[in-house]
Every structure is written in structure tokens, then in C-alpha cells.
Amino acid sequence: MRGRSRIALVIAGVLAGVLAGVGPAAPAHAAVSREQLALRWAPIHYQDVDATGDHALGGRSDYITAYDFDGDLSGRNNWDRTGAGSMAATAYYSVVETSSHWYLTYFFYHPRDWVDHPFFETEHENDGEGLLLTVERDGSDYGLLRSAVTVAHSDFYSYTPVGSTWSSGRESVDGTLQTQSSPHDSFQHPVTAQEAKGHGLKAYPQYNINGDGIVYYPSTVAEAPANGDDRDVRYQLVDIFAPGGLWAQRTNTALFASLGTFAGDTSGGCGQGTYSCGTNSANSPWGWDDGNDVPARGELASDPARLVTEYFTIPAAVSRTYTYNPYRSELAELARLDKVAPRPED
């Protein structure tokens, strides 16, 4: 009888809790990791490919890859070795957090920014373009995607997905950020695209594949395209702040000429048959800048809350206090360089 009474008391307690709107305690819910968050929102990426001309290397000069694709950490031999090392598809990400939003930066690297004619345009070693996605923390695992700002050379372009409550601010919204399902997971991903040769990046279809091209899908594995017209290639996401990774190399003078700017030279035929070859002309996310807007150099990655409040009209509150910002250690130096360094070229 004593055992039956104990069971009855437990049942009565549970029923009382349910009737009171409390119920038994729910199991603890584990938040998704920053890696999972970056993978969920990483873009499906259309890369136009031009296979013509000596500098195209049959299209390989338009493949995205790792900044150390050739097995070393020198930025001054990447033009020379394009196509010779691994061209496995790689992209880099960082996550910055406030209490109201996640800010996801994605960086796509090419060893060459190239041209195929002799008139007026320059080419250069190394090329870095990318985007910032802002995700509202609404209590769900992955939040709500609200906006994108993309990098096309020295200009930024802003977009909102269908259903976003964000609208034009100091900068006009340039279009709609489309989404698309991936054959490699169960999510709808934003869709971006890069032009051939110069690799400016915008929301699809403002850039698109014209003829040959590669469609890259976010993943945890890095595949190399079978050819310049491969429409299903997985790219591996790598944390910018991984130990020994891109951020850790920021003071490596073989890879970076200055904070945020890759080291590049004119070796390997860069500039031959064209107008010229620039040096030290490509930028990492903490070197990106649109010289015509208010946010400073690098703030797309390092102070994204400021950038989005300048670019967009946002009806809900946006916290400017970072709960996680691994760029913080260099914010003072980035601010100093914004005042004294030449404007980034790309």
C-alpha cells in the first residue's frame, strides 16, 4: 500500500502541474553551435566561369578555393600556382553575436582577379569577395534571415528576403535575396553569385552563370569541380577564427601586406597582355570597405550592427552590445588604419 500511495502522489502532482499550466519540466534544449548556424545559412553560390584567354587557365581561375590551396602561406605566389595546387572548394565564415541578432560573414577566395583584354582594366594576385547575413534571434534554433550585404569590388550592395520587415535606410535596398533548396540538406539557403574574372559578388540573379559555370553548395566537405561547367560541387565552410587559420595569420607578412590586405606581386605573368597588374590589391573581410558609405573599413565584419543600422530601416530593436565578437582585439587598429591607409582596391 505504501508503494501505491507514492505512485498516486506522483501522478496527482503531475496532473496538478498540467492543470496549472506548468506540467512536468521539459528536457533542456541545446542551442545550435556557431558552426551549425553558419552552415545552415551559408549561400548556394553560382560562379560564372570564363575559359577563354591565357589567364583563365581553361576556367580554373574562376574556381573558389582555399587561400593556402598551394600548400603554403605566401600570398605572392598564388597567381603563379593557380590551377597547379588543390582547387577544392572552400569558403570561410565568422559569427558575431548580440542579444538581438547573429551576424554571419562569408568570404570567397580566388587566387586571381584577371582580365582577358588589354584595355584600361587591371588584374591582380589574390581576390576576396563575400557577404554579411543578418539573422534575427527570435527564439528558434536558427532565427529569421533579415538581410544581406554583399561585396562587389569596392562597393557594397544590400538585399532583403521575401517577408523581411527591413527596408531601405541610408542606403537603398538593391533587390530581393532569393532562397533555394539544397540537394545536400533540408534547408532553404540564400542564393548568391559571382561574375567571372573580377568576381564581384551580388545576390542571384543580379549576377548569374552565362554559359559555363559552377553551382557550389555549402557542406562540411570540399570538392573540386570536375570541369568549368559543374552544377553540383560542395564547398567546405572553415571558421576564420580556427586555430592557425586566416585570422591567426593576419600579421604574417608573407600572406598579408597590412592588416586586412593580402600580399600580392606581379610575378607569374600577371599584367602581361593587359593594361596592368596591381599589387597588394585584395582584401579579407576585416579589410572590406565601401568608400562612399558611413561604416568604416572592415566594419562589415567587425562592427556589423553599426553597418546594418546605417544600411536599413529596422522596426525592431537592434542591440549594439556584442556578446561575442572575436574581431574585438583589432578594432582600435582597424579604426586607425581607416584614417591613414589607402582605400582598398579590388
Side-chain angles (χ1 to χ4, degrees), residues 40-109:
R40 185 266 171 270
W41 289 114
I44 295 170
H45 195 60
Y46 284 62
Q47 174 64 65
D48 193 26
V49 170
D50 188 342
T52 61
D54 293 339
H55 295 182
L57 300 179
R60 288 173 294 170
S61 293
D62 289 321
Y63 294 4
I64 64 170
T65 191
Y67 65 89
D68 55 352
F69 71 99
D70 58 349
D72 68 26
L73 291 172
S74 172
R76 297 183 176 89
N77 60 16
N78 289 335
W79 176 284
D80 316 47
R81 296 182 177 181
T82 304
S86 170
M87 299 303 284
T90 305
Y92 299 88
Y93 75 90
S94 65
V95 181
V96 169
E97 300 179 11
T98 68
S99 60
S100 61
H101 293 84
W102 287 298
Y103 299 96
L104 312 176
T105 298
Y106 298 91
F107 170 69
F108 294 95
Y109 172 82

Side-chain angles (χ1 to χ4, degrees), residues 153-154 260-261 280-283 287-291 297-298 338 341-346:
H153 313 299
S154 297
T261 299
N280 306 334
S281 297
N283 299 285
W288 288 336
D289 190 17
D290 184 326
R297 184 178 191 265
D338 184 60
R343 284 294 166 199
E345 300 175 8
D346 206 325

